Amino acid sequence: MTNVDLTEPGIKLDPAPPYQPVLSRRPEPGHAEKDVLRMQDFIQLLKAEEDYFPGEQTHLPIMITRLRKIFYDKWGWNKDLIRRAAPIECRYEVTITGTPPRDNTGEPHVKKTKQHYKQNDEVDKYRLVTYRRNDRVYADTRAGQVPLIYQKDHQEVILPDGTYCDVAHVLAGLDAWNNPQLVAPLPPWLEFLHPLVPHCDSNMDLVTWLGDIATSSEAFVFDYLRNNKKPLSSHAEQHYIEINAPGSDMLGNIDSYAIAKSYDLSGASGRRLTEILEEYYLSPAKSFFAQKRYALFCDAVGLTWDGKQFSNEDEWVQRYRPQLRDATTFMIHSLTEGKIQGVLLPLEVWLGGYRDVVKAEEMLRFFLRTLRSLI
């Protein structure tokens, strides 16, 4: 199923799959509409998390990291993606489990992580976030319980205009903005050798839009291998795009760039992050910056809009095509259970062995087609 009828009024996209959604008026697959919070309600939960760390509420670089780690801090986040923020501790205990925690109705508290693979077959994994025994507010009375902010995939919220946005993707992008780095499988002191290995120039790209698109491409590869190297249909490709890079994720990715370019995130302004989010998302007429989100994003990633088209589209695609390929190798490595395949398969992708399956250039152009319709 596609989201083509879910875009803003007046926006017309080619209904033929595959394409990259950015705006959606229904939650991502697997997230029940009844479990979706309004942005204003989610911001109140974030405020409570800010208040847990007295004196740090307006220290934005640290606070953004603490909030991001509620949702993302495993599978290389501290070691590879945002290394400088690794020493900053999250309020909660985070573990990975194969069995999801359930509430008193028998429904799972949390969603699956990005799908993992063992010998190309899917393996269910869940990221469990629970109160510690030494919580400063609840002591040990809630130890082992999942906090409300993490239950029911609450990070995906509904905005006042009826579109959906994943705020955890905003937090991830903002944290990377404050802690920029190149991403490569090398220690920092060998980063001068990064042209010789898979790498991404920007960790912000990788933890937001580039990483999500790469996760779709990674899913293409595993589907191809599971089905005896049978080419995927366009509808199968669209299915994986909807799961791995839904519109709410991509809107959160874009918003992280728009917010980073529009607000002082150093903490010097004395504002809380939640104040910034309220202004950006909830101001009566929508903030000026939110209205310009697509132009701000395009400027941040080096796209030049001449009023009708991206004048440097071909050059931009050629710049990002190898980075999307390399991001796909990172995704395959991180999601593969099996040491040999976890090295050999990413290496094959990096060397171009699955170019027609990964479809790096096509995936980038799908994204640009959507951006052209929105900007």
Side-chain angles (χ1 to χ4, degrees), residues 69-106:
K69 286 191 174 186
I70 299 173
F71 306 98
Y72 299 117
D73 74 338
K74 293 289 184 180
W75 290 303
W77 280 86
N78 291 329
K79 178 177 175 290
D80 300 311
L81 297 176
I82 309 182
R83 290 193 295 263
R84 196 164 66 182
I88 300 173
E89 189 175 77
C90 176
R91 175 182 182 179
Y92 301 105
E93 186 74 32
V94 179
T95 55
I96 305 301
T97 176
T99 304
R102 299 181 181 274
D103 61 21
N104 56 13
T105 68

Side-chain angles (χ1 to χ4, degrees), residues 1-16 19 21 23-26 162-163 242:
M1 181 178 293
T2 69
N3 282 347
V4 77
D5 60 325
L6 308 179
T7 54
E8 288 184 345
I11 302 299
K12 297 184 182 298
L13 299 179
D14 184 350
Y19 75 98
L23 291 175
S24 177
R25 294 189 182 276
R26 65 176 78 125
T163 56
E242 297 282 351

Side-chain angles (χ1 to χ4, degrees), residues 118-129:
K118 187 172 184 179
Q119 295 180 344
N120 300 330
D121 291 326
E122 297 179 350
V123 178
D124 290 344
K125 294 287 183 179
Y126 299 85
R127 185 175 180 274
L128 179 60
V129 176

Side-chain angles (χ1 to χ4, degrees), residues 20 45 115 152 191 216 262 300 303 315 326 332 335 360-361:
Q20 177 57 64
L45 294 178
Q115 192 65 59
K152 306 292 186 181
E191 280 186 353
S216 299
S262 305
L303 283 164
E315 295 89 341
D326 291 3
I332 291 173
L335 300 177
E361 180 166 340

